[in-house]
Amino acid sequence: MSPSSPPASPPDVGVLVPAAGRGERAGEGAPKQFRAIAGVPMLLRSIRPFAQHPRVRTIVIALPADAAADPPAWLAPVLGERLRVVAGGATRAASVRAALAALEPACQIVLVHDAARPFVSPAEIDGVIAAAERGAGALAAIPVSDTLKRSADGRLVAQTAPREGLWRALTPQGFPRALLERAYRAAGDALDATDDAGIVEALGAPVVLVPGRTTNIKVTTPEDFAMAEALARA
Ligand code: CTP
Ligand code: MG
């Protein structure tokens, strides 16, 4: 092998996909992660870039308990050696914890990616893996670009808040496995965190920002579904 083509790194990355939520803000119908965006279920869109990534060894999806016992038919063709399903918990953190517990020991780098983000890019995945391999926690993130207002009652503006230094946290987020496990152990059970980087930050461990893409949206509301349809067809 020539010096310009170093041996490929082994597939040692584990990906945890919390997909056990009820999607209450998305309105009527099936839980949002099972709904189609331009014909393809959102969960399938969210896991595909990882399933196709050469560094990814295993993907563990946390599903609602009933779906974990009887996974959707469209998941069957991708369920195999690289994809596992577990029952999630009552909170996102409980779902991540359940998926982490089911991850095979060979995965020493762990990524977490929300089932509600169907447009993650390979560059974001690469950036987060690279930072986690250097020993830090890492997350895809975007600098806040809007002017921020604070309001006590949701009607009257109390203050314009400075946006300097503020970033929006996306997923994927990535960690050396031992760091993520230590953070979840230290956090105990009463965990309502909405992201994993926050749990690691609470340990005092370094977490770095990786440039994210504005197309890596989180589908939360019915309006977001309309945006997602447009992005999928673009
Ligand atoms: N999630 C999970 N287990 C839970 C709650 C959330 O695995 N008990 C997952 C969701 O399925 C989603 C991700 O965490 O992929 C981010 O959560 P969010 O966007 O808030 O989804 P939901 O909790 O399903 O939506 P809502 O808060 O509107 O009910
Ligand atoms: Mg939620």
Side-chain angles (χ1 to χ4, degrees):
M1 195 174 279
S2 76
S4 60
S5 56
S9 300
D12 57 355
V13 174
V15 183
L16 314 180
V17 180
R22 294 150 60 111
E24 280 170 358
R25 288 169 290 174
E28 305 276 283
K32 63 183 181 182
Q33 61 274 34
F34 300 142
R35 275 152 63 180
I37 295 169
V40 179
M42 176 151 67
L43 173 60
L44 211 48
R45 287 185 180 273
S46 301
I47 63 175
R48 261 187 195 161
F50 297 94
Q52 291 167 355
H53 197 286
R55 291 295 308 280
V56 171
R57 182 182 177 98
T58 306
I59 301 173
V60 185
I61 306 173
L63 290 178
D66 56 339
D70 182 19
W74 44 259
L75 212 47
V78 267
L79 280 174
E81 258 172 47
R82 295 177 78 202
L83 208 74
R84 296 197 50 187
V85 160
V86 297
T91 62
R92 182 188 180 284
S95 296
V96 172
R97 198 194 286 276
L100 182 56
L103 184 64
E104 59 176 306
C107 298
Q108 288 304 308
I109 296 289
V110 182
L111 307 189
V112 186
H113 183 65
D114 283 337
R117 291 191 189 271
F119 302 111
V120 59
S121 65
E124 290 169 304
I125 297 173
D126 291 345
V128 169
I129 291 176
E133 279 183 326
R134 290 191 290 270
L139 71 148
I142 297 175
V144 170
S145 58
D146 294 315
T147 297
L148 300 176
K149 302 289 181 187
R150 192 183 300 281
S151 170
D153 61 2
R155 194 187 69 84
L156 198 68
V157 173
Q159 204 179 36
T160 297
R163 67 165 177 245
E164 283 69 41
L166 291 183
W167 293 66
R168 294 194 289 122
L170 318 178
T171 71
Q173 305 192 347
F175 314 89
R177 181 185 187 137
L179 176 61
L180 188 62
E181 287 178 337
R182 189 152 58 86
Y184 267 87
R185 269 199 306 276
D189 280 334
L191 247 182
D192 58 1
T194 53
D195 86 334
D196 306 283
I199 295 168
V200 167
E201 289 155 35
L203 281 182
V207 172
V208 303
L209 300 162
V210 171
R213 300 260 172 95
T214 51
T215 45
N216 183 7
I217 62 168
K218 182 154 83 72
V219 177
T220 305
T221 64
E223 256 188 336
D224 295 333
F225 267 97
M227 182 88 79
E229 287 283 333
L231 277 171
R233 293 176 196 281

